[in-house]
Amino acid sequence: MGINPRNTSKELFDLMMKAGFSQIDCTPDSASPKMLKLLKKNFTLNQLLKTANLIKENKMPTMWFFLFGGPGENEETFAETFNFIDQYINPEDMVHMTPDCEFIPEHICIKQL
């Protein structure tokens, strides 16, 4: 099941654990405040950090998804996402990275240019 960082809570994770969840997916696409805004994500970095902490506290195996190379991406935003991965994601979790999302013409970021 995919989880949106906007609405996570301890109660949600308690219910998922009781229901027998053994793995979740989280698709923040970025951990850069600038890129979250450009990608029109409906959550903030603080909400993502809260979610990452809840995932760790509950020892919930997670598949993470990130996009790199979209319009507005630079060394700083790239580093912000990699720092998040290093600091908040369990080394046993899987992380899928998609490079060069700017080459997808129908991507929402491209339509704005």
Side-chain angles (χ1 to χ4, degrees):
M1 177 189 103
I3 191 163
N4 184 324
R6 182 177 180 159
N7 297 311
T8 58
S9 65
K10 181 182 177 333
E11 294 76 24
L12 174 62
F13 275 85
D14 288 346
L15 289 170
M16 288 191 305
M17 299 303 282
K18 285 180 186 174
F21 278 67
S22 59
Q23 184 271 334
I24 59 172
D25 296 338
C26 190
T27 59
D29 296 331
S30 180
S32 162
K34 174 185 174 182
M35 293 307 296
L36 292 173
K37 193 173 206 175
L38 286 172
L39 293 168
K40 297 188 183 254
K41 301 304 278 189
N42 69 344
F43 55 86
T44 66
L45 178 60
N46 284 338
Q47 290 169 318
L48 177 59
L49 297 175
K50 175 184 172 188
T51 299
N53 286 325
L54 285 167
I55 288 169
K56 267 190 177 179
E57 289 169 17
N58 288 280
K59 298 181 177 128
M60 178 67 73
T62 304
M63 176 73 180
W64 295 85
F65 295 85
F66 295 94
L67 301 173
F68 293 96
E73 186 88 68
N74 58 38
E75 284 186 40
E76 181 181 337
T77 60
F78 187 86
E80 288 170 331
T81 298
F82 266 90
N83 288 337
F84 170 83
I85 292 168
D86 287 342
Q87 293 177 18
Y88 290 93
I89 295 180
N90 184 331
E92 294 178 10
D93 285 348
M94 295 185 70
V95 176
H96 179 82
M97 299 178 198
T98 302
D100 298 325
C101 75
E102 69 179 318
F103 294 112
I104 304 170
E106 61 276 358
H107 192 280
I108 186 96
C109 296
I110 299 300
K111 290 180 181 178
Q112 294 175 358
L113 295 177

